[in-house]
Amino acid sequence: MNVRVENRQRLSDQEITDVLGLVEAAAEADGVRPLNEQAMLQLRYGGEPGATLLLLYAGDELAGYAHVDPGDESPSAELVVHPAHRREGHGARLLRAVIDAAGGRPRLWAHGDHAGVAALAARFGLERVRSLWQMRRPLAEPLPTARLPEGVSLRTFVPGQDEEAWLKVNAAAFAHHPEQGAWTMDDLLRREQEPWFDPSGFFLAVRGDRVVGFHWTKVHDAPSAQDALGEVYVVGVDPSQQGTGLGKALTLAGLDHLRSRGIAQAMLYVDEANTAAVRLYQGLGFTRYDVDVMYAPPQ
């Protein structure tokens, strides 16, 4: 059988359809989505300047896909092999292509802490360098009252008005975060076009006329509100306001909003190394549910 990896900068409509089918098959088999939101957005829109998209074919069938983003520090990547084509060496072939596309220095994300992925990464000399926890809590349990710092008020995001202010505080709040802090206007506007976007769940903390923090919530699609999963999508606080309790107040305001919609459970992602945030979320009743792992070459 002819096995080959094809390199793309953009995908055709048919290729997008084929990859989306592969992703859905893997998600159903594994119980976790193999690509993060950014990679899925780029996939649905066909590609992004600078990104490398790898298609692995076994004969005429699409057996694997990888997304390599150039990143600000070093290239980050995700890959997936179709469940029907596993244990045939395709994961190793695709990972070799990812390493080549990343100039030998990839940061490889794996969704779920699976022994098979760890073994494959070790085979190529990649080490576990970062862990991203998914945490959850039931919203039926009591929530403390949100108490904003003196002089700070809360309002919701206004599309077409607040983009520049939000990008500014987001960049400041996540100045040392390799993904979130680098968001551009295109990143924001693309999410505003997504079906899940709801400005009534996007809260801005304002001091005077200045945005000093935010909590953007997200509701994952489900047949009913009771089945839906609400997400603390991103919480950010301007460095000048840190230590004031604003982050906790914003988190609680968003959770209260999700609960008011009848949603039963909330989730969030937090870097395992961010011990202050982990403690905050544990104090609000969140517990670890799953882990995403990043592998990279040794420093």
Side-chain angles (χ1 to χ4, degrees):
M1 180 184 296
N2 177 29
V3 178
R4 66 195 185 280
V5 177
E6 298 185 3
N7 186 311
R8 298 278 194 277
Q9 300 304 308
R10 291 197 64 82
L11 300 180
S12 69
D13 289 346
Q14 185 58 54
E15 288 169 338
I16 293 171
T17 298
D18 292 344
V19 175
L20 288 172
L22 186 158
V23 167
E24 290 305 316
E28 184 175 348
D30 301 333
V32 62
R33 301 200 68 81
L35 303 179
N36 67 19
E37 181 188 65
Q38 181 71 4
M40 287 297 295
L41 282 170
Q42 291 194 24
L43 170 59
R44 287 201 295 271
Y45 285 92
E48 195 78 5
T52 300
L53 312 175
L54 301 171
L55 305 172
L56 185 147
Y57 287 94
D60 294 329
E61 293 188 23
L62 181 66
Y65 173 76
H67 172 273
V68 184
D69 195 304
D72 290 331
E73 298 179 354
S74 62
S76 64
E78 296 175 298
L79 64 85
V80 55
V81 174
H82 194 289
H85 291 278
R86 292 177 181 173
R87 299 179 179 84
E88 299 173 5
H90 297 325
R93 291 185 184 92
L94 197 51
L95 181 52
R96 169 50 63 195
V98 164
I99 291 171
D100 291 343
R105 303 293 298 178
R107 294 177 295 137
L108 181 70
W109 276 109
H111 301 280
D113 195 1
H114 301 297
V117 176
L120 179 62
R123 177 177 164 187
F124 284 84
L126 305 179
E127 299 178 347
R128 183 183 182 124
V129 297
R130 187 178 169 197
S131 297
L132 192 66
W133 287 7
Q134 184 189 141
M135 304 182 78
R136 295 191 181 189
R137 83 162 333 256
L139 287 172
E141 295 181 359
L143 286 168
T145 301
R147 301 187 185 281
L148 291 166
E150 187 176 351
V152 175
S153 60
L154 210 60
R155 66 173 177 85
T156 54
F157 182 90
V158 179
Q161 169 187 298
D162 290 323
E163 283 82 0
E164 290 286 357
W166 182 84
L167 284 167
K168 182 177 180 180
V169 70
N170 179 70
F174 294 99
H176 303 295
H177 193 286
E179 292 96 14
Q180 184 67 36
W183 273 34
T184 65
M185 181 65 77
D186 284 345
D187 291 321
L188 176 55
L189 293 178
R190 186 165 286 178
R191 284 163 177 80
E192 288 185 30
Q193 296 169 12
E194 288 293 289
W196 57 263
F197 177 73
D198 178 9
S200 70
F202 191 166
F203 298 94
L204 302 182
V206 180
R207 185 180 290 278
D209 60 356
R210 179 177 163 227
V211 176
V212 294
F214 59 89
H215 181 178
W216 188 351
T217 68
K218 176 180 180 179
V219 177
H220 295 258
D221 190 33
S224 68
Q226 191 63 25
D227 297 322
L229 185 63
E231 181 176 351
V232 178
Y233 185 53
V234 58
V235 176
V237 174
D238 187 275
S240 68
Q241 308 298 309
Q242 290 176 357
T244 65
L246 179 56
K248 181 177 180 179
L250 282 164
T251 303
L252 288 168
L255 292 175
D256 189 61
H257 166 77
L258 292 172
R259 185 167 61 178
S260 74
R261 292 190 52 179
I263 294 168
Q265 189 158 192
M267 62 161 287
L268 57 83
Y269 289 98
V270 62
D271 200 307
E272 180 182 42
N274 189 346
T275 54
V278 170
R279 283 197 301 270
L280 169 64
Y281 296 134
Q282 287 174 333
L284 293 176
F286 284 88
T287 57
R288 190 173 72 172
Y289 179 84
D290 205 352
V291 183
D292 291 347
V293 180
M294 176 185 280
Y295 296 94
Q299 294 295 324

